[in-house]
Amino acid sequence: MIDQEKGYVVFTEEMKKTHTILVPNMLPMHFKIIGKVLERSGYKVELLETSGPQIAETGLKYVHNDTCYPAILVIGQFLDALQSGKYDPDKVALILFQTGGGCRASNYIHLLRKALTKAGMGHVPVISLSLAGLEHHPGFRLTVPLLKRMMYGVLYGDLLMTLVNQCKPYEITRGSAQALADRWTERLAQEMTVGGKANYRQVKANYRRMLDDFAKLPVARRDKVMVGIVGEIFVKYSPLGNNNLEQFLVDEGAEVVVPGLLDFCLYCVYNNLLDHKFYGMQKHVQALYQVAYRFLLGKEKDMIDTMEAHGRFTPPTLFTHTISLVQGTISMGVKMGEGWLLTAEMLELADKGVENIVCTQPFGCLPNHICGKGMMKPIKAKNPGINIVAIDYDAGATKVNQENRLKLMLANAKQAAKKPEAVPVPVQEVVFEEKIPQSIQKTARGAAL
Amino acid sequence: MTKQSKLALGIDIGSTTAKIVVVEDGTIRFEKYQRHFSQVRQKTLELLAEAVGVVGERPFTAAISGSAGLGLAESAGVPFVQEVFATGEVVRRMEPDASAVIELGGEDAKIIFFDGGIDERMNGTCAGGTGAFIDQMAMLLNVTADELDELSLKSTRLYPIASRCGVFAKTDIQPLLNQGANHADVAASIYQAVVNQTIAGLAQGRRIRGKVLFLGGPLYYCKGLRIRFQETLKLTDEEAVFPEYGRFAVAMGAALYGENAGGTYTMDALRRKIETSPAVRSGENLLPPLFASEEDYAAFRARHAGSDVPRRDIADYSGGAWLGIDCGSTTTKVALLGEGRELLYTYYSSNRGNPVEIVREQLEHIYGLCAGRITIRGSAVTGYGEELIRAAFGVDKGVVETIAHYTAAKHFCPEVDFILDIGGQDIKCFKILNGAIDSIMLNEACSSGCGSFIETFAKSMGCDVAEFARKGLHAAAPVNLGSRCTVFMNSSVKQSQKDGATVEDISAGLSVSVVKNAIYKVIRAGSAGELGEHVVVQGGTFYNDAVLRAFEMELGREVIRPAIAGLMGAYGAALYAMDLEKSALVSPEALRGFTHTAKAAVCQGCTNHCRLTVNSFGGGKKYISGNQCQKGLGLANAQELPSLYAWKREALMGLRPGPDIRGTIGLPLALGMYELLPLWHALFTSLGFKAEVSGLSTRRIYEKGQFSIPSDTACYPAKIMHGHMEVLLERGVDAIFYPSLTYNVDERGGDNHYNCPVVAYYAELLRGNMDDLEQTRFLSPFLNINEPRELSRELYACLSPVFPDITKKEVKKAVEAAFVAYEAHMLAVRKQGEEAVAWAREHGKRIMILAGRPYHIDPEIGHGIDKLAASLGFVVVSEDSICHLADPAPVHVLNQWTYHARLYRAARFACENPDVQLVQLVSFGCGVDAITTDEVRRILEEAGKLYTQIKIDEITNLGAVKIRLRSLIGALEEKGV
């Protein structure tokens, strides 16, 4: 029941044994692995993989309709699950990530609790997963080894996402890239469970194996227009939030480039360093954040190095380079929501030669007025060839309107690609003759795409 | 043999119209433009059939464009080109020297810039429905689109009309009509709203100048719209080009595109392809049918037939009678009751843009029916037109809508505990507890116009609303059209039509949408239990059985719908008048000599210059509307009540610039500057700068800066900032200062002390989007205003590169002076707050906390709501003037913004004091308020207080606000508070 002093239902140590923790789905591959990491630490975890219009409908029913779309979806997904009868409401807990930043996203957890109360399930505990330590739940402790393994999950997820994005538009067998990624997700998740190996040497070895596996995937020549996706974190990644944007772009003949989740983690940590630089705040914890920042940076560099050494795929951009690109466009003091990182990612994409960008945001997203739509003019001034389209996502927004705008962006992208100076250097057609391994074929059939 | 000429066919299927062109060697051989009424495939085939004469048997290339053409092109396998892209291609070829193109369609507005880097843009989500909006507005004025255009050419002045979206614009237009504004002026103002919306939404910091091409249907047909564009953009006749092919530009672009898209067709082959293309209905977002069977419907009908009132034929009645008039936003209703409360006569009709005339006709008619046998002994009027009708016809009583509706519902169902009224423009809900209105929920601006939307939509489909409603009853698969607002719904309807939804499915879907909007946006109920046992639903919209059924289904409970659902306001008003014995209503004789003229005027009472409409009814009787305060009515000498809003404005305006020793620093008075002006003013004055404040906002200031707004869904207080920067640039200051403050002043009232992202970082946006800022030095340092030492360090780092002679010591001293000034200001605010409360108690006045943010005191942002409240007898205090009188209470949200922490404390203060009411001002687009409104409402309602929310934006018409405040007063009076 509600802890009077704290004002919320606490997730107790008892509950760790009895309750299943439901996890919302933002990035299917990342979260699957991270879910298994939690299981290894003794939690019962279930990743919600539901979709469909009833999720937004449920959300609209229990959340203020002017709240951002991600809140409506995440809370809608939770309540839809709880009301489905699949779970014992006395044996279930929910978890949400909370940054504690100045964006209203930090309030999602409170809105979820209000919604639960409204739905008559106010007793269901909601765990705040927060590095800022906004709440305290005795049954859920973020230990260093746990955090470390969760970070491996992020790294794996980022690599898999990058590889899928680079293979999917060119795959010979439809669905084969995702099927391979699913197989890897399964395998990595397995490794994360009790008894599995999850040391960093193993992680790096896995990188190489993944790269090798994906390199073997039969693909056609890489010659499609590249389209980057940036934006508010949920609608940027979640197919539920963005009407399956990635798939739409791939079907329209584009190769999608999506900056990874690690960038966002680095951004969160780095902002604490900036708070000190800008305002002289957080003095006593600077050393700790420095260590964390260096550590994450090192991990990112290892992944990039491994990819470069392998040579076949384009690695993500190093965070330090991303930072250097943003100077002079937006101040790094802008730290609410995706803040300066959003601007930086658009610049990073342009820097890589990905000049077509979809900037996604929930309708009425406050930080994106500034760092998304507000920065397009200066970004265009710096990169005259850039082709950005801002798409709003909302329960009431129509798909036709969104797709029509995306089509405009794609038409301009394809036009630009035709211009002589933009013609890519002819690449020799690489079609791998090898047979697809049996195991992948199996999953390929099972994958519904 | 002659050389075979090249033949290309282009089809453009937009949201409303279909266009076709046949181009032969670069010349148009055939063109046709038609509305398609969502019969996309059929219309396309018809157009093709007409082109046969020109094309004959010859082969041609073809492509389809347009938002509604996408699905057809895909399923028929014909090349498709996006319409803006197509336009760009055509213009590049036809007018290589064009610098920009503006194209308006039925749903979308587009802009293309050619000079200085090609940039193609489409409107944001909110600003949808340009052409559709003009159509709807014409319907509101009861004219055709062509007549609207003719009217607009005769205008003499423009009214300010909100331009954010169609819903907001309509909210401004509807009351103008009801107040008797000149239709010609309204027509021109409608066009101006379209122009403002296009510029504010699409220019995004780029100046529209040079040779500008205007394309698309609305710009081809509406001459008045062209004039408004040309004047607003200050284009010469040479620069503003309205080409003859304006309607066909996209189709021509499609033809061009088709030439190189591969694929040659003969007419037969193309028609076959389109005919046989599979109809794809996405089908994922369908709802269950309203009625499973005819029997279900019959049972439903029977159940609701029971709720009626006694009636009596007026012809065989004699004696006293009481008249009730409900002059609503879109309809006028009349009810005449006999001594036994039986209905003698009723009337229900659309306003047709002139409610005064309708009421006059009705009175004439009623007097005829009375024929000396019946004496009208009392009369009352309610609704938006209450004051106008009262003044015009000498109606005895004016009654607030909520009270009228409650009076009627109570008569019907004495134990009623929940009333929902869905009218044309408004949704009103109230809970009844112990015989008094316990809480009132009124829709905010976004939910407006749901009821009338069904009606206008029905008309556009060529049927009346009753017929349209009937169609929905047995729809097999109602479509889910969302519930955000009618602009979004309209766009969803368009999509569903393209997906092949039937009129039946759309009718049912719209009913469900309106109901969901009421339940989840206005009532905010999660379950039926929250409403009550005895729910009465009323309002004209509930005549629609589909709406009633959808409501019962969504709620999972049976409700009562009186047979006179649409007349309940008038019925309640008549009941309300029944304690009268003798009526002062205009006599039959006087009615014959009745005249009505409306004249526009500008109030010169203060700098606000309200635009007034002066209605004269002959015999010196007048009614003036459009005023924000009493001055315009010549009633200035009414007792001036203390108002913290007025006091704060005066305090800020009273800050005089110091001597100019080092230069002038411009301070834009918007967003966070409203809070910290005393601090920055003292700081720069101490440093020897002349602190130049941009001043209070006006509409004019907003318009000055609207072209550089990059995000049209941002809040009005942010968008107006652009105008303030322009003002300061015009004044030629040496530097402009607007700092970035992630953290606001820490008042220890919450979990953290953030600013919202917009207040915190708007400076970064301004720097990136206002080119002219390069003319000056724009200082926007990131500052920590909670640590004087830190602040000195940061300010010195910011100022010393620009003003090298500034010393650290001076800055330190200035910071000290700044904090002293700020503390003194806040202390004065709190003291004034306490004094206002004490004064009110001494004089027995009600106290209203008009709770918003510091910038809501701005006359343009707050639209004079504080003055309106004062004129209704409230002593107005601001949230920051009294929040110190209550302790921070635990809240169920993350209380991390300084301004909002004040809000929660102010709510607490209202709870602790019976004579204090809280009205929350919410700016459209304030994401944070989606969180605070629910929480403030919870705090108040848990303590048994009424919660009133007013959503504001550019909308200037205070009609809806007045109704909200008067409802509050009405409910308080009922409660005896």
Side-chain angles (χ1 to χ4, degrees):
Chain A
M1 286 299 100
I2 293 175
D3 182 303
Q4 283 312 318
E5 202 180 305
K6 290 176 179 150
Y8 53 84
V9 182
V10 170
F11 185 77
T12 62
E13 294 198 47
E14 292 287 290
M15 290 176 181
K16 185 174 174 180
K17 296 183 205 94
T18 54
H19 284 50
T20 301
I21 303 173
L22 301 184
V23 180
N25 201 354
M26 181 171 82
L27 278 155
M29 294 184 284
H30 292 72
F31 280 39
K32 190 165 221 169
I33 302 170
I34 293 170
K36 290 291 176 190
V37 170
L38 290 171
E39 273 181 15
R40 182 198 174 102
S41 298
Y43 302 99
K44 292 190 203 169
V45 174
E46 187 164 328
L47 184 64
L48 293 176
E49 291 178 298
T50 45
S51 61
Q54 84 285 356
I55 288 179
E57 287 301 306
T58 311
L60 288 171
K61 209 165 164 174
Y62 292 103
V63 191
H64 193 295
N65 287 197
D66 288 345
T67 310
C68 22
Y69 191 40
I72 288 172
L73 288 175
V74 170
I75 296 172
Q77 191 173 36
F78 274 138
L79 283 162
D80 179 54
L82 289 175
Q83 291 173 341
S84 69
K86 193 177 161 197
Y87 309 94
D88 177 356
D90 295 323
K91 292 276 178 340
V92 70
L94 312 176
I95 192 165
L96 263 187
F97 187 69
Q98 206 185 8
T99 60
C103 167
R104 53 182 167 161
S106 296
N107 250 307
Y108 284 8
I109 197 157
H110 298 271
L111 300 179
L112 173 58
R113 289 196 180 115
K114 282 189 167 194
L116 284 169
T117 309
K118 210 167 170 179
M121 288 183 282
H123 64 284
V124 173
V126 184
I127 303 163
S128 155
L129 179 61
S130 164
L131 292 177
L134 293 173
E135 291 185 357
H136 181 66
H137 294 274
F140 190 88
R141 289 215 176 85
L142 283 178
T143 59
V144 173
L146 175 61
L147 276 172
K148 224 169 165 175
R149 278 194 294 268
M150 283 167 78
M151 190 203 59
Y152 295 157
V154 172
L155 290 165
Y156 280 144
D158 279 356
L159 181 56
L160 279 171
M161 183 174 77
T162 309
L163 294 176
V164 171
N165 284 339
Q166 292 183 22
C167 293
K168 201 166 170 180
Y170 311 105
E171 61 192 8
I172 301 292
T173 315
R174 191 170 156 85
S176 58
Q178 189 58 53
L180 177 58
D182 288 347
R183 197 174 63 102
W184 264 104
T185 311
E186 214 43 63
R187 173 171 163 184
L188 295 168
Q190 217 48 52
E191 274 185 18
M192 289 293 184
T193 50
V194 184
K197 288 174 282 179
N199 60 54
Y200 193 54
R201 211 164 28 158
Q202 173 76 6
V203 171
K204 285 198 283 189
N206 275 335
Y207 287 167
R208 285 187 289 270
R209 285 187 211 115
M210 274 191 250
L211 288 164
D212 287 342
D213 268 8
F214 274 90
K216 281 185 211 143
L217 204 68
V219 287
R221 185 170 69 145
R222 283 187 71 179
D223 58 355
K224 303 201 168 182
V225 291
M226 311 260 270
V227 176
I229 303 178
V230 299
E232 187 278 334
I233 190 159
F234 188 85
V235 292
K236 162 176 153 187
Y237 288 131
S238 166
L240 181 66
N242 60 29
N243 284 335
N244 235 332
L245 176 62
E246 282 186 38
Q247 191 60 49
F248 174 82
L249 292 171
V250 171
D251 290 344
E252 288 289 319
E255 178 186 333
V256 175
V257 185
V258 190
L261 185 59
L262 187 65
D263 276 353
F264 187 76
C265 301
L266 274 159
Y267 159 83
C268 291
V269 173
Y270 195 67
N271 277 342
N272 286 289
L273 302 176
L274 291 172
D275 258 0
H276 180 65
K277 189 182 144 224
F278 278 102
Y279 313 114
M281 293 164 66
Q282 310 242 31
K283 208 167 281 173
H284 56 292
V285 283
Q286 282 305 298
L288 195 69
Y289 281 116
Q290 276 292 354
V291 171
Y293 176 61
R294 296 251 153 77
F295 178 77
L296 288 177
L297 215 51
K299 295 294 170 274
E300 184 187 47
K301 191 165 181 313
D302 286 345
M303 189 209 278
I304 292 171
D305 287 349
T306 314
M307 286 184 82
E308 270 171 359
H310 182 269
R312 169 70 198 282
F313 298 99
T314 315
T317 308
L318 205 58
F319 190 69
T320 44
H321 183 62
T322 309
I323 292 177
S324 73
L325 291 171
V326 83
Q327 308 307 324
T329 303
I330 191 171
S331 164
M332 293 179 82
V334 178
K335 62 158 203 170
M336 294 180 195
E338 284 62 40
W340 57 266
L341 179 68
L342 175 53
T343 314
E345 287 185 339
M346 289 195 263
L347 291 162
E348 170 195 315
L349 286 166
D351 182 59
K352 270 185 175 174
V354 182
E355 293 215 302
N356 311 299
I357 298 173
V358 184
C359 180
T360 62
Q361 58 257 311
F363 173 76
C365 175
L366 296 181
N368 277 27
H369 287 314
I370 316 288
C371 47
K373 291 176 183 172
M375 287 302 133
M376 289 183 186
K377 190 170 183 282
I379 290 174
K380 282 177 188 169
K382 273 192 183 171
N383 307 276
I386 208 158
N387 174 23
I388 313 179
V389 62
I391 306 283
D392 283 358
Y393 290 93
D394 183 78
T398 56
K399 216 171 158 183
V400 152
N401 272 350
Q402 292 163 353
E403 290 184 352
N404 198 17
R405 281 154 182 75
L406 291 168
K407 288 232 171 195
L408 174 60
M409 182 274 298
L410 287 166
N412 281 316
K414 286 174 185 164
Q415 172 92 348
K418 268 191 224 153
K419 282 187 190 153
E421 70 267 29
V423 165
V425 186
V427 188
Q428 210 191 337
E429 193 155 335
V430 215
V431 179
F432 288 83
E433 296 297 305
E434 288 167 73
K435 274 194 148 178
I436 311 171
Q438 282 280 308
S439 52
I440 300 179
Q441 279 183 338
K442 240 180 239 161
T443 26
R445 238 176 284 127
L449 267 169
Chain B
M1 209 175 105
T2 51
K3 191 172 153 270
Q4 187 78 17
S5 56
K6 246 170 54 183
L7 206 57
L9 191 127
I11 302 170
D12 166 22
I13 310 169
S15 59
T16 340
T17 54
K19 287 82 76 177
I20 189 168
V21 293
V22 178
V23 181
E24 188 170 5
D25 291 333
T27 331
I28 296 182
R29 291 276 172 242
F30 176 78
E31 58 180 39
K32 186 90 190 176
Y33 178 101
Q34 256 179 2
R35 288 196 176 231
H36 59 56
F37 299 103
S38 297
Q39 307 293 320
V40 170
R41 184 195 309 246
Q42 196 192 324
K43 218 18 126 192
T44 311
L45 287 170
E46 279 172 39
L47 288 175
L48 285 174
E50 295 196 43
V52 168
V54 182
V55 178
E57 303 277 301
R58 292 156 64 192
F60 55 86
T61 58
I64 297 180
S65 184
S67 58
L70 178 55
L72 185 70
E74 273 175 6
S75 68
V78 179
F80 175 82
V81 56
Q82 207 279 346
E83 74 261 27
V84 186
F85 188 76
T87 309
E89 292 299 291
V90 167
V91 174
R92 261 190 289 268
R93 192 173 294 194
M94 307 278 290
E95 325 267 348
D97 59 337
S99 54
V101 170
I102 291 177
E103 190 199 340
L104 299 185
E107 268 295 302
D108 291 326
K110 304 118 193 173
I111 205 163
I112 308 176
F113 289 101
F114 290 102
D115 57 344
I118 290 183
D119 204 346
E120 304 188 336
R121 296 179 190 157
M122 298 179 72
N123 61 279
T125 353
C126 267
T130 320
F133 168 68
I134 297 175
D135 282 353
Q136 276 183 34
M137 292 306 109
M139 246 176 237
L140 212 59
L141 266 81
N142 204 27
V143 295
T144 65
D146 290 342
E147 288 164 347
L148 182 82
D149 191 36
E150 277 164 37
L151 269 175
S152 78
L153 300 175
K154 291 180 231 146
S155 75
T156 52
R157 48 171 291 205
L158 294 170
Y159 287 97
I161 288 177
S163 58
R164 187 187 288 281
C165 69
V167 174
F168 283 25
K170 193 173 161 197
T171 307
D172 265 347
I173 291 164
Q174 203 124 42
L176 277 177
L177 294 177
N178 291 341
Q179 285 157 7
N182 181 305
H183 284 198
D185 294 340
V186 174
S189 308
I190 288 169
Y191 285 156
Q192 186 65 41
V194 172
V195 173
N196 288 348
Q197 187 186 351
T198 309
I199 296 172
L202 291 170
Q204 299 174 1
R206 283 184 78 156
R207 294 254 184 203
I208 305 170
R209 54 185 156 205
K211 181 174 170 186
V212 183
L213 246 65
F214 293 88
L215 306 174
L219 277 164
Y220 179 82
Y221 291 107
C222 310
K223 306 279 176 291
L225 184 59
R226 294 179 174 194
I227 296 171
R228 300 269 37 92
F229 260 109
Q230 200 176 338
E231 264 181 28
T232 311
L233 293 171
K234 300 191 178 73
L235 299 174
T236 64
D237 287 345
E238 287 70 42
E239 287 170 329
V241 182
F242 301 91
E244 210 25 58
Y245 61 84
R247 297 169 296 164
F248 296 103
V250 175
M252 287 161 65
L256 270 180
Y257 178 84
E259 285 176 5
N260 303 314
T264 313
Y265 306 86
T266 60
M267 193 51 97
D268 271 354
L270 182 62
R271 285 169 68 185
R272 228 180 0 260
K273 249 179 166 335
I274 290 173
E275 239 159 1
T276 55
S277 64
V280 251
R281 185 155 182 200
S282 44
E284 56 170 10
N285 219 349
L286 302 177
L287 304 165
L290 295 175
F291 292 100
S293 65
E294 199 58 51
E295 292 76 58
D296 269 11
Y297 180 51
F300 168 89
R301 291 282 301 173
R303 175 159 56 83
H304 285 288
S307 316
D308 207 350
V309 282
R311 294 161 197 261
R312 186 158 169 192
D313 187 356
I314 193 164
D316 62 20
Y317 177 84
S318 55
W322 288 266
L323 179 71
I325 303 169
D326 179 0
C327 184
S329 56
T330 47
T331 50
T332 296
K333 286 82 69 175
V334 175
L336 190 69
L337 303 191
E339 276 159 15
R341 294 176 172 179
E342 65 274 42
L343 266 177
L344 300 173
Y345 175 80
T346 63
Y347 176 77
Y348 181 101
S349 162
S350 134
N351 279 344
R352 300 196 297 266
N354 192 353
V356 174
E357 179 52 26
I358 288 183
V359 174
R360 194 200 60 77
E361 277 171 24
Q362 281 306 304
L363 286 176
E364 202 172 19
H365 185 62
I366 290 172
Y367 277 134
L369 291 171
C370 289
R373 283 174 291 113
I374 303 169
T375 320
I376 293 178
R377 306 222 333 242
S379 58
V381 56
T382 187
Y384 274 84
E386 174 194 327
E387 292 173 356
L388 174 68
I389 299 298
R390 213 176 154 196
F393 302 105
V395 177
D396 302 296
K397 281 182 169 185
V399 45
V400 188
E401 282 178 306
T402 42
I403 302 298
H405 286 288
Y406 175 41
T407 309
K410 194 161 57 177
H411 181 71
F412 244 93
C413 169
E415 63 274 30
V416 59
D417 46 18
F418 192 89
I419 301 168
L420 168 65
D421 179 278
I422 304 185
Q425 187 71 4
D426 279 343
I427 299 177
K428 303 177 264 288
C429 327
F430 16 103
K431 268 188 199 161
I432 313 294
L433 191 70
N434 303 326
I437 293 179
D438 182 54
S439 73
I440 305 173
M441 290 144 276
L442 296 167
N443 64 295
E444 34 88 350
C446 286
S447 300
S448 301
C450 282
S452 57
F453 179 65
I454 295 188
E455 193 181 339
T456 12
F457 187 79
K459 275 195 207 163
S460 77
M461 299 300 289
C463 50
D464 72 5
V465 66
E467 187 191 339
F468 184 69
R470 258 195 311 280
K471 284 177 191 278
L473 294 172
H474 301 295
V479 277
N480 188 348
L481 301 168
S483 56
R484 184 177 277 285
C485 66
T486 57
V487 169
F488 278 52
M489 285 180 209
N490 198 41
S491 148
S492 299
V493 167
K494 293 274 159 71
Q495 168 162 6
S496 68
Q497 286 175 328
K498 285 156 214 162
D499 288 352
T502 61
V503 177
E504 285 74 16
D505 296 340
I506 291 168
S507 168
L510 275 179
S511 298
V512 175
S513 285
V514 170
V515 160
K516 280 191 178 161
N517 191 304
I519 298 182
Y520 302 128
K521 292 197 67 168
V522 184
I523 310 175
R524 301 269 306 108
S527 68
E530 291 174 44
L531 267 60
E533 287 295 314
H534 304 278
V535 180
V536 174
V537 297
Q538 52 195 49
T541 308
F542 273 109
Y543 280 136
N544 183 334
D545 279 345
V547 172
L548 178 61
R549 176 65 167 187
F551 184 70
E552 290 191 335
M553 279 170 78
E554 198 63 40
L555 211 61
R557 160 166 305 184
E558 292 180 357
V559 301
I560 301 164
R561 175 195 58 184
I564 53 162
L567 296 167
M568 292 292 270
Y571 186 70
L575 287 175
Y576 193 80
M578 281 191 81
D579 56 358
L580 294 171
E581 289 295 323
K582 189 164 163 35
S583 176
L585 190 69
V586 62
S587 67
E589 298 72 44
L591 193 63
R592 273 193 285 280
F594 179 83
T595 58
H596 173 217
T597 53
K599 208 175 83 221
V602 176
C603 176
Q604 301 298 344
C606 71
T607 52
N608 204 33
H609 298 302
C610 294
R611 291 169 193 238
L612 308 176
T613 302
V614 182
N615 288 276
S616 312
F617 307 108
K621 273 197 300 180
K622 260 190 197 165
Y623 172 69
I624 299 172
S625 59
N627 51 304
Q628 289 185 350
C629 71
Q630 303 294 339
K631 263 189 192 155
L633 310 182
L635 301 172
N637 302 333
Q639 185 183 27
E640 286 263 340
L641 304 179
S643 159
L644 253 292
Y645 272 55
W647 186 87
K648 276 174 77 181
R649 276 194 295 267
E650 277 162 30
L652 294 182
M653 289 300 102
L655 295 171
R656 294 278 147 239
D660 173 0
I661 299 163
R662 276 205 165 103
T664 53
I665 293 269
L667 301 175
L669 189 55
L671 292 175
M673 191 58 77
Y674 258 108
E675 165 80 10
L676 294 172
L677 182 66
L679 189 139
W680 303 127
H681 177 272
L683 181 104
F684 287 108
T685 307
S686 161
L687 283 172
F689 288 99
K690 182 181 169 201
E692 184 87 40
V693 182
S694 60
L696 300 173
S697 317
T698 59
R699 180 77 180 187
R700 184 77 205 91
I701 288 184
Y702 168 66
E703 283 165 3
K704 254 184 222 274
Q706 69 173 353
F707 72 93
S708 62
I709 298 166
S711 185
D712 62 335
T713 43
C715 60
Y716 194 47
K719 286 158 77 172
I720 215 163
M721 182 58 123
H722 295 251
H724 284 270
M725 302 301 278
E726 296 286 345
V727 167
L728 293 172
L729 284 168
E730 278 170 15
R731 290 197 203 154
V733 293
D734 295 306
I736 297 177
F737 179 80
Y738 183 74
S740 294
L741 303 170
T742 297
Y743 299 95
N744 203 332
V745 180
D746 186 2
E747 296 181 338
R748 319 232 168 261
D751 306 320
N752 209 330
H753 48 281
Y754 281 118
N755 267 314
C756 83
V758 174
V759 168
Y761 306 130
Y762 213 71
E764 289 291 312
L765 179 147
L766 293 170
R767 186 191 301 286
N769 291 276
M770 294 189 66
D771 295 337
D772 293 349
L773 283 179
E774 279 164 21
Q775 293 166 16
T776 182
R777 280 164 290 203
F778 181 38
L779 308 174
S780 62
F782 281 71
L783 301 175
N784 177 348
I785 49 163
N786 287 303
E787 293 280 338
R789 264 184 59 190
E790 253 311 296
L791 183 59
S792 305
R793 179 183 74 84
E794 292 156 3
L795 275 170
Y796 178 74
C798 159
L799 294 172
S800 62
V802 188
F803 303 100
D805 60 328
I806 284 182
T807 65
K808 281 184 182 169
K809 212 173 146 193
E810 282 175 308
V811 175
K812 192 167 167 266
K813 210 179 113 226
V815 166
E816 280 165 16
F819 277 107
V820 169
Y822 176 70
E823 294 299 334
H825 174 75
M826 290 311 283
L827 204 66
V829 169
R830 290 192 277 264
K831 190 164 153 278
Q832 282 297 320
E834 289 170 25
E835 283 175 6
V837 169
W839 190 94
R841 286 182 177 157
E842 206 174 297
H843 294 81
K845 295 282 177 195
R846 291 202 175 95
I847 300 161
M848 177 192 291
I849 308 172
L850 195 52
R853 315 264 187 279
Y855 43 79
H856 281 137
I857 64 168
D858 186 275
E860 173 61 21
I861 292 169
H863 300 300
I865 291 172
D866 54 315
K867 289 184 187 173
L868 177 68
S871 75
L872 293 171
F874 283 103
V875 167
V876 176
V877 296
S878 56
E879 72 293 340
D880 55 357
S881 70
I882 44 81
C883 63
H884 65 288
L885 300 173
D887 288 328
V891 287
H892 297 181
V893 293
L894 188 61
N895 187 359
Q896 58 170 2
W897 296 282
T898 298
Y899 294 155
H900 310 84
R902 291 176 183 168
L903 198 56
Y904 301 136
R905 287 175 78 168
R908 182 66 49 201
F909 178 70
C911 294
E912 290 164 2
N913 294 275
D915 55 348
V916 178
Q917 307 306 324
L918 185 137
V919 172
Q920 189 177 2
L921 285 180
V922 175
S923 281
F924 171 84
C926 181
V928 177
D929 274 339
I931 292 158
T932 66
T933 48
D934 267 4
E935 186 61 15
V936 170
R937 178 170 152 184
R938 182 195 64 81
I939 295 174
L940 290 172
E941 290 187 348
E942 277 182 8
K945 301 286 285 195
L946 291 156
Y947 172 69
T948 308
Q949 185 204 126
I950 296 174
K951 194 178 251 191
I952 48 176
D953 193 52
E954 278 172 72
I955 300 173
T956 52
N957 208 294
L958 291 185
V961 178
K962 201 166 190 177
I963 283 193
R964 277 149 186 75
L965 297 185
R966 287 197 50 204
S967 304
L968 171 67
I969 297 171
L972 291 173
E973 277 167 357
E974 282 250 316
K975 276 186 157 184
V977 183

